[in-house]
Amino acid sequence: MNEYYRTILKDNIKKGLLDASSAAQIKHPFLTGRLREIVVHQLLEPMLNNHFSIGTGKIIDYNGAISNEIDICIYSQNLVPPVFFSSNDKLAIFPFESVLSCIEVKSSFSKKNIEDAYEKFVRIERGLTMTSGLHDENNNPQPQIIVKPHYRLFIFKTELKNYSPESFLKTYSKIDPNWNTTPLISHICLAGKGSFCFSNQGWIHMAYDECNNIHEEVITFLSTTVHDLPRTEDTRGVPKIGYYLTDPYATDRLIDGKLHIRPWNPGKLIFKFQGL
């Protein structure tokens, strides 16, 4: 552990949470956007290298399915590129293959806010299909082992008189039926209280250091988020942008110099995955 390195991050976190508190007092409709900006520009962006970028918008797949708007999408610039509507606010549509992490940002803790984030992530998980990044010599997609996007939740303010890690997980268990085996939201940060991360050893909790006023919970949330990105990216292989732009069954074929119009049996490409 390097205290000088940590000090820079601790200062960014304190400033970000203070700015969030000031924004919340205004009670203006722009609050959600402002809180998202704080997480992006003051907390996450300083920790990312040039391989990874952040935007907000909707996630799409090659079949035309589309998600609800996601507050923060961390994506790889080495994979299928997003399409931006505005370079100023980084509003875009993101091909599923490029998305490595999704984060919903909430101003305060409530069961409804957690349910809202959960439903957004469910729509991605159940409704979108990822194409393969592995192909044989004939360009046929091959079965692949991937790491899916990690779904995360960041909550700025938690006014719970009887807060405890157990009580929070009890609340989450009422929303996610797989909360203790394969939770959909595997990483949750309650600023000023604690962060929860699901690992091979089950749920891990990092508490806010109240005695020293150190936001260990936010540090853990940020470091784990960034740490997961390269591993997730490495499993994606080399996805083909052509799946989004062309219909392979609409192509013709020349056999011995003779044109055959759409000789392929029409169908739907099947992509087989196994999650890590």
Side-chain angles (χ1 to χ4, degrees):
M1 185 168 66
N2 186 292
E3 276 303 324
Y4 179 75
Y5 195 86
R6 271 170 54 89
T7 297
I8 297 173
L9 181 57
K10 287 189 293 185
D11 290 344
N12 286 343
I13 291 171
K14 287 181 180 179
K15 183 179 185 305
L17 295 180
L18 182 61
D19 289 349
S21 179
S22 298
Q25 293 177 23
I26 299 175
K27 296 181 180 180
H28 191 277
F30 86 98
L31 176 60
T32 299
R34 178 64 185 130
L35 295 182
R36 182 174 60 223
E37 290 174 2
I38 289 170
V39 174
V40 170
H41 298 303
Q42 296 182 219
L43 303 183
L44 277 171
E45 276 188 345
M47 300 183 66
L48 296 181
N49 62 35
N50 292 332
H51 287 295
F52 309 112
S53 293
I54 303 176
T56 185
K58 298 187 176 185
I59 303 171
I60 59 171
D61 73 3
Y62 81 108
N63 278 321
I66 188 167
S67 74
N68 294 323
E69 185 168 323
I70 305 301
D71 287 335
I72 298 172
C73 290
I74 305 179
Y75 66 95
S76 168
Q77 300 196 60
N78 296 326
L79 301 174
V80 185
V83 177
F84 285 93
F85 298 108
S86 169
S87 58
N88 293 331
D89 59 10
K90 297 186 177 181
L91 180 65
I93 54 174
F94 301 91
F96 198 18
E97 293 78 6
S98 69
V99 178
L100 308 178
S101 186
C102 302
I103 305 174
E104 280 294 291
V105 178
K106 301 297 182 182
S107 60
S108 61
F109 170 85
S110 71
K111 185 180 178 184
K112 184 180 182 302
N113 279 343
I114 301 173
E115 288 173 338
D116 175 69
Y118 179 80
E119 291 302 321
K120 284 187 178 183
F121 295 147
V122 164
R123 181 167 178 172
I124 298 172
E125 188 74 3
R126 297 178 181 174
L128 274 67
T129 302
M130 192 175 293
T131 63
S132 179
L134 296 177
H135 296 79
D136 63 17
E137 63 275 7
N138 295 315
N139 284 322
N140 295 313
Q142 299 297 296
Q144 186 177 359
I145 298 175
I146 65 165
V147 174
K148 292 183 178 181
H150 291 90
Y151 303 115
R152 296 182 159 93
L153 176 61
F154 190 97
I155 300 173
F156 272 98
K157 193 173 183 180
T158 307
E159 294 182 343
L160 292 175
K161 295 180 179 179
N162 299 315
Y163 168 81
S164 69
E166 294 86 354
S167 64
F168 174 78
L169 283 180
K170 184 177 180 179
T171 299
Y172 184 66
S173 70
K174 297 176 181 178
I175 299 169
D176 186 346
N178 301 313
W179 71 278
N180 206 30
T181 53
T182 54
L184 184 63
I185 306 178
S186 59
H187 204 180
I188 304 168
C189 181
L190 287 72
K193 297 294 183 181
S195 67
F196 300 79
C197 182
F198 192 82
S199 69
N200 293 333
Q201 291 78 41
W203 284 102
I204 296 173
H205 177 259
M206 175 63 77
Y208 162 62
D209 184 351
E210 189 172 1
C211 293
N212 298 300
N213 189 26
I214 299 175
H215 287 277
E216 298 288 358
E217 80 290 1
V218 181
I219 293 174
T220 299
F221 181 84
L222 296 174
S223 59
T224 303
T225 298
V226 174
H227 176 77
D228 283 343
L229 298 176
R231 172 175 173 261
T232 305
E233 180 191 34
D234 287 345
T235 67
R236 301 292 173 83
V238 186
K240 294 180 180 292
I241 194 173
Y243 288 120
Y244 282 83
L245 302 178
T246 62
D247 178 2
Y249 296 109
T251 59
D252 304 325
R253 186 181 178 190
L254 289 161
I255 303 176
D256 297 328
K258 185 177 180 180
L259 181 64
H260 292 254
I261 305 297
R262 300 189 180 185
W264 324 100
N265 293 323
K268 184 177 181 180
L269 289 171
I270 303 298
F271 299 97
K272 297 180 179 180
F273 295 104
Q274 178 181 345
L276 286 177

